[in-house]
Every structure is written in C-alpha cells, then in structure tokens.
Amino acid sequence: MKRIKVGIGGNGTVRIKLKKKSKAPRADAADMGGLPLTPSVPPASTPSAPPAPGDGSRVIALSLPLLNQMEIRVESVFRPKEPDVEVVYALTGFGGSVDHLHKFSSNEVVAHATPEMVSYVAERMVEHIRAERAEMPNLIVHVHSHPLGAPALSDVDKETMPKVAATIREIAPGATVFFGVHAVGSEERRPRTPPERVSENKIRWSSITRTHEVAFFDEGAKPVPVRVDW
C-alpha cells in the first residue's frame, strides 16, 4: 500500500504526496511554488462535531449519472504514453443526497498534480462550489484519486482530514463534510460492470478500460455508508 504525505500551508494549500516503496524523484519547494508545510488550520476540536452514527444524513446516496461523472473525471486525465495523475473533485448536495460534481479544473484550485501527489487550495475549492451552485450545499464530499492504488486512508490522511474539514466549515458553517478515496486501476480492455456496494462504505464498478473503487469516510476516518439509487 502506498504511503501518503499531506501538508497544509499557511495559505490553506493542501499538498498530498504518495510514497512508493521504490525511490522516486521528490519535488522541492521551488517546484511546489515554495509553499510552507506548517499547518495553520484550526485543530480538529474547534469545528462542530459530525452527525452521530445513527443519523440518516450519514448515508451518502449516489445516482448512476453521478457515478458516470465520477468515472469520466478520473479517466479524463489520460494522456497517451504518460502515467495518470491524481485528481481532486467534490460531490455536493443536501442532507444525504449528492446531486452535483465539481471538477476543479482550474489553476485557482489545483496548483500541481503528478501520479504521486496533488496540490490544491482548500479555500478556493469551496469558493468554486459556492459559485457553481445557487445555494450553498450542506453536504460536501471531498474526493481525491489514487491512480493504480487502493481506496484506503493513510495515517497522515486521518490526521489531516479534521483540519481540512475545519477549513471547509470556515466558509460553509454547519456543512457536513465527508471524504472519499477514488482508486483507479490500470488500463486494460474489459467488459463494463455495473456499480455494486462491496462493503458498507465502498462501491466498485468497471468501465471498458478501468476498474473503479470508491470508499467514503467521515473526518474521524470512520466509514460512511453509501448506497446507489437506481
């Protein structure tokens, strides 16, 4: 399993870097725009607590059209003879129902992306969500992809998610914030398979070229139930 290193800069920029077992070149501060790694986001204890496990709002409902958009978003980074890069996107809605995908295809949000890391500005991410919707949603699901990886959280993810959630709630007070990891398999021609829930918080399906597996968590790294509305 890959290890993920995440840093939150003084300007709210979140940097995620996967470490493989084999050594690979590491981007220096100049490559990343000289962004500091000192966390400046309020501690996890400051935001309001997420809903209790028994709350129905903790069930994320996804439609087939939305899953199709998620598939297109992560596969759209394909470039011939080049490795896939990580992407970040968000799902938003009201209550437990998701009805919109935000691509964040903008330099304002994503500063840098490679197969092993993605650098983005959390505040700008929420600003784009607010600009794309007539009303600020009360459900925000932050998702990042794992090319050729697994939909699992690292220890660094678990430490960082409460801070990212707090940053989001500074702009969207009272919002329920969840997290998703979207794993994508290698390219290989295969039959398309419909989405199925393979565990409480995980959905799996296959396009004609890639396998997809998405797992959802709350900011405390606990699984969040998911369902597909046919």
Side-chain angles (χ1 to χ4, degrees):
M1 183 181 296
K2 299 178 180 179
R3 297 179 58 195
I4 303 175
K5 181 179 181 181
V6 181
I8 302 180
N11 61 356
T13 300
V14 179
R15 303 184 345 169
I16 301 176
K17 183 168 184 179
L18 301 181
K19 289 188 176 181
K20 298 181 177 179
K21 292 183 180 179
S22 57
K23 294 184 178 179
R26 299 180 61 182
D28 55 24
D31 295 332
M32 298 304 298
L35 299 175
L37 289 176
T38 305
S40 61
V41 187
S45 58
T46 56
S48 58
D55 193 332
S57 65
R58 285 182 57 92
V59 178
I60 300 175
L62 299 175
S63 66
L64 289 177
L66 200 57
L67 286 169
N68 187 55
Q69 291 183 49
M70 294 162 63
E71 174 185 307
I72 292 172
R73 179 66 187 103
V74 297
E75 291 192 7
S76 66
V77 300
F78 167 78
R79 298 294 182 273
K81 299 181 181 179
E82 293 183 13
D84 294 342
V85 298
E86 283 202 11
V87 298
V88 60
Y89 64 88
L91 306 171
T92 63
F94 296 88
S97 181
V98 173
D99 59 14
H100 195 95
L101 183 146
H102 304 266
K103 301 183 297 293
F104 302 139
S105 300
S106 168
N107 289 325
E108 291 183 351
V109 179
V110 180
H112 191 61
T114 73
E116 299 180 352
M117 59 82 61
V118 62
S119 174
Y120 65 93
V121 182
E123 287 87 348
R124 294 289 176 85
M125 181 177 71
V126 185
E127 289 172 7
H128 273 239
I129 290 174
R130 180 165 53 189
E132 289 181 340
R133 303 210 54 148
E135 181 182 354
M136 193 67 180
N138 60 21
L139 171 64
I140 299 175
V141 185
H142 171 289
V143 186
H144 72 279
S145 66
H146 279 183
L148 307 182
L153 298 172
S154 71
D155 290 339
V156 178
D157 284 327
K158 297 173 184 178
E159 294 174 2
T160 305
M161 291 190 303
K163 302 173 185 178
V164 175
T167 300
I168 293 174
R169 279 196 290 264
E170 285 182 347
I171 304 174
T176 297
V177 182
F178 293 140
F179 295 83
V181 181
H182 188 157
V184 191
S186 59
E187 183 182 0
E188 180 183 347
R189 195 60 180 265
R190 68 187 75 230
R192 172 175 285 278
T193 61
E196 61 173 335
R197 196 176 74 161
V198 294
S199 68
E200 177 189 32
N201 70 322
K202 191 181 303 179
I203 293 176
R204 179 189 299 152
W205 76 95
S206 176
S207 70
I208 63 170
T209 56
R210 312 273 181 146
T211 58
H212 294 259
E213 195 167 4
V214 189
F216 296 95
F217 308 88
D218 66 15
E219 61 192 84
K222 295 180 180 179
V224 174
V226 61
R227 74 169 189 262
V228 179
D229 288 341
W230 297 89

